[in-house]
Amino acid sequence: MWDVALLATRLRARFGRSAPAGLIEATAALQDLAVNEAPASERAKLLAALADQMENLPPGIITAKNGPYLVTNVAAVRTPLGERLTLPPQLALCRCGASASKPFCDGTHATSGFTDDKDPKRVPDQRDTYPGEQVTILDNRGICQHSGLCTDRLATAFRTKEEPFVAPSGARMDELVRAVRDCPSGALSLAFDRVEARDLVDWHGARERAIEITQDGPYRVTGGLPLTDADGADVPRAAGSSREHYALCRCGHSQNKPFCSGMHWYVDFRDPVRRAGAEPTLFEWAGGLPALTRMTRLLYERHVPADDLLAPVFAAMAPELPQREAATFAAAFGGPPVGDPAADGAGRPALTEAQRARWVALALRAADETMLPADPQFRGALTSFLEWTSRVTDALPPAWDWGPAGPPAEAPLQTSAVDDQEAIPLPGPDEPVGFEANIKPLFREHDRASMEFAFDLWSRDDVQANAADILGQLSSGSMPCDGAWPADRVEVVKRWTESGFPPVAENPIEL
């Protein structure tokens, strides 16, 4: 197996940019097999040998036609918890959503009927401009992945229930910059005095070339990794989209392939699957290193500088302190080990009792705003940890656990099964059709949540305004995506639409 993998790797390196997609995909599979079948003690040596063969190939991602993402020499591939995977230099990542070895491709796309065509009914490629007093926000809904990072963290500026969607004067300048830079799809940008500050949005090209495998969602790519098709041509991008960061579909259902369009929410895509019966660590429950980093960044970028008591103490803090603190918290909570954060003098300064109490309070506020889990068990463990670490700045914290209360019970996962058709009574042929009684119950809560970026399926006004599009998608079977409606349900919506949306009384009074 090793000899075959080495031969394929040499051929892959020899062909370089002109290597056929089939050869690259085969090389990825052979490298994976050869390394994983070898004894654990030999794997590092084998990985180094493969890397030597491919060292002259530039990093990049190729979208194989109706096949996987072929990833070459990417610096880092990380799990949803932020842990870096040790992998061969050539990878084939699943994008049909059906591989049994996700995130890696197992060839299922060849038999599942997967196609990478774009949906003609996708959200249009259109860049919108939202001018404010100090800054102008630019946004293209056509490439939004609907992660909610902007609306959840800065709801005063990015509004799901109001028009216009963006209100640039609804937040401070630093908050707007942070929200735009954190947009994983590259849909957001900003401009000053009518000049777009793309370099600022793209982190001045300083980020590591990396791929994050998100929980139940897309691949988030950073660092300006080139994205090409199987012929070596640049994959077309939407207007104004970032080249430094973008999100790639891995559920197989995006309307804007290869880019994510948020359809993983709608089809209940699940990966990685939670460990059944295993007690989660605090690290896992918090959401891993990405979630803890968001918390510490918010603490030190927003709350500490605005606090009269703490701002002078942290005025000369090292720029990397938020990331270092997040890594330290992660290690204490059961994540990857970390070196001493104070070894080079870049740790947190010693605090007085009043400063310490304020720091803990602000850290907990940052946890709220970052939407870390709010259950009593996790918050109790987090609070006790913050109290401990606020008093100790010259030593690594010990391993921290749930304490005597233990972890909370895991919430049951949603299923993607279509509702029992008999559970919702439908009006007879001669009965009037009303929204509250007959239309709204047809849409599940999950359907509503999945489409809130466009309209509210439980709002009569929204459904009436978009009735033609909704009926068209229901009739074609493209909505909902986890199973087409039966004809009698579609017919009810059609009757309501064609009858002029009559306001039928829900509880008529019998005289």
Side-chain angles (χ1 to χ4, degrees):
M1 181 62 71
W2 170 250
D3 291 339
V4 177
L6 192 59
L7 174 61
T9 301
R10 288 170 175 165
L11 288 172
R12 163 73 180 101
R14 184 184 304 171
F15 280 106
R17 294 181 183 273
S18 62
L23 171 61
I24 302 176
E25 186 176 344
T27 302
L30 289 167
Q31 288 185 1
D32 177 69
L33 286 170
V35 171
N36 288 317
E37 288 190 0
S41 59
E42 297 182 13
R43 290 174 186 169
K45 180 180 67 175
L46 298 182
L47 289 171
L50 294 171
D52 287 343
Q53 293 293 325
M54 295 179 57
E55 63 179 350
N56 293 324
L57 294 178
I61 303 173
I62 297 172
T63 59
K65 181 61 180 175
N66 297 332
Y69 300 111
L70 303 173
V71 179
T72 303
N73 284 342
V74 171
V77 178
R78 293 190 172 87
T79 71
L81 297 177
E83 298 166 303
R84 183 169 178 167
L85 298 174
T86 302
L87 299 170
Q90 187 64 67
L91 305 173
L93 298 182
C94 172
R95 68 165 169 153
C96 73
S99 171
S101 56
K102 290 188 284 290
F104 307 107
C105 172
D106 68 355
T108 300
H109 60 273
T111 57
S112 66
F114 171 73
T115 173
D116 57 12
D117 293 337
K118 293 181 183 293
D119 188 333
K121 300 176 183 177
R122 65 188 180 277
V123 177
D125 176 8
Q126 175 181 315
R127 203 178 200 199
D128 299 317
T129 302
Y130 300 94
E133 292 184 8
Q134 294 181 296
V135 63
T136 294
I137 302 297
L138 307 170
D139 175 47
N140 190 330
R141 294 289 84 194
I143 54 172
C144 178
Q145 72 150 85
H146 306 290
S147 65
L149 297 186
C150 59
T151 54
D152 290 343
R153 300 178 196 171
L154 201 58
T156 56
F158 299 92
R159 309 175 302 176
T160 58
K161 303 295 184 183
E162 299 180 57
E163 290 292 339
F165 167 58
V166 183
S169 299
R172 300 197 314 262
M173 176 73 72
D174 62 310
E175 294 175 321
L176 291 169
V177 172
R178 186 182 303 112
V180 170
R181 295 183 88 183
D182 285 348
C183 172
S185 67
L188 293 175
S189 188
L190 47 80
F192 301 96
D193 299 324
R194 300 183 180 181
V195 178
E196 184 173 1
R198 172 57 72 184
D199 195 45
L200 171 65
V201 175
D202 288 345
W203 299 80
H204 302 288
R207 285 201 289 187
E208 181 182 39
R209 287 177 162 174
I211 298 175
E212 177 192 355
I213 306 162
T214 66
Q215 181 69 52
D216 304 330
Y219 301 107
R220 290 178 181 165
V221 182
T222 58
L225 278 169
L227 182 67
T228 60
D229 62 21
D231 297 323
D234 187 56
V235 172
R237 311 293 180 101
S241 59
S242 172
R243 297 283 176 142
E244 192 275 339
H245 54 279
Y246 49 91
L248 296 175
C249 171
R250 74 182 186 104
C251 73
H253 290 274
S254 173
Q255 295 177 315
N256 189 34
K257 301 184 187 77
F259 304 103
C260 173
S261 70
M263 291 302 291
H264 53 277
W265 298 105
Y266 202 80
V267 300
D268 278 329
F269 178 71
R270 300 293 179 187
D271 182 73
V273 177
R274 283 74 162 180
R275 299 175 301 165
E279 180 176 298
T281 63
L282 290 169
F283 176 68
E284 293 169 330
W285 196 262
L289 186 58
L292 294 171
T293 302
R294 291 196 298 269
M295 171 188 161
T296 55
R297 281 185 56 201
L298 198 60
L299 171 64
Y300 289 112
E301 293 176 9
R302 177 193 292 180
H303 295 310
V304 166
D307 186 84
D308 293 339
L309 184 61
L310 293 181
V313 181
F314 287 90
M317 73 176 184
E320 64 271 17
L321 179 61
Q323 287 75 19
R324 291 195 176 201
E325 291 244 294
T328 303
F329 292 4
F333 289 173
V338 67
D340 187 350
D344 58 2
R348 186 179 349 109
L351 303 175
T352 67
E353 181 60 25
Q355 293 166 346
R356 184 201 64 75
R358 182 72 57 80
W359 182 87
V360 171
L362 293 181
L364 290 172
R365 183 190 299 178
D368 286 336
E369 295 174 354
T370 310
M371 296 195 301
L372 262 62
D375 54 89
Q377 296 92 327
F378 177 78
R379 285 308 175 97
L382 176 63
T383 302
S384 65
F385 173 79
L386 292 173
E387 287 285 347
W388 185 92
T389 194
S390 68
R391 291 177 165 86
V392 181
T393 60
D394 57 355
L396 287 173
W400 217 261
D401 58 25
W402 291 97
E410 290 253 23
L413 295 177
Q414 289 182 313
T415 64
S416 60
V418 179
D419 304 70
D420 181 0
Q421 308 300 335
E422 301 299 326
I424 301 176
L426 302 179
D430 299 324
E431 294 180 302
V433 180
F435 179 79
E436 291 292 336
N438 307 118
I439 303 300
K440 179 178 176 181
L442 296 176
F443 296 107
R444 301 165 298 179
E445 183 176 355
H446 184 54
D447 297 333
R448 180 196 189 197
S450 300
M451 296 303 297
E452 273 193 320
F453 71 94
F455 43 73
D456 185 353
L457 286 171
W458 287 3
S459 164
R460 176 193 170 88
D461 291 342
D462 277 12
V463 175
Q464 181 172 333
N466 297 275
D469 289 338
I470 293 172
L471 181 59
Q473 292 188 51
L474 291 172
S475 301
S476 66
S478 59
M479 175 179 157
C481 288
D482 58 346
W485 274 10
D488 55 352
R489 283 192 175 196
V490 178
E491 182 62 25
V492 170
V493 179
K494 184 178 180 181
R495 284 169 53 195
W496 182 66
T497 302
E498 293 180 345
S499 61
F501 318 106
V504 177
E506 303 300 329
N507 296 296
I509 301 174
E510 294 186 6
L511 300 178

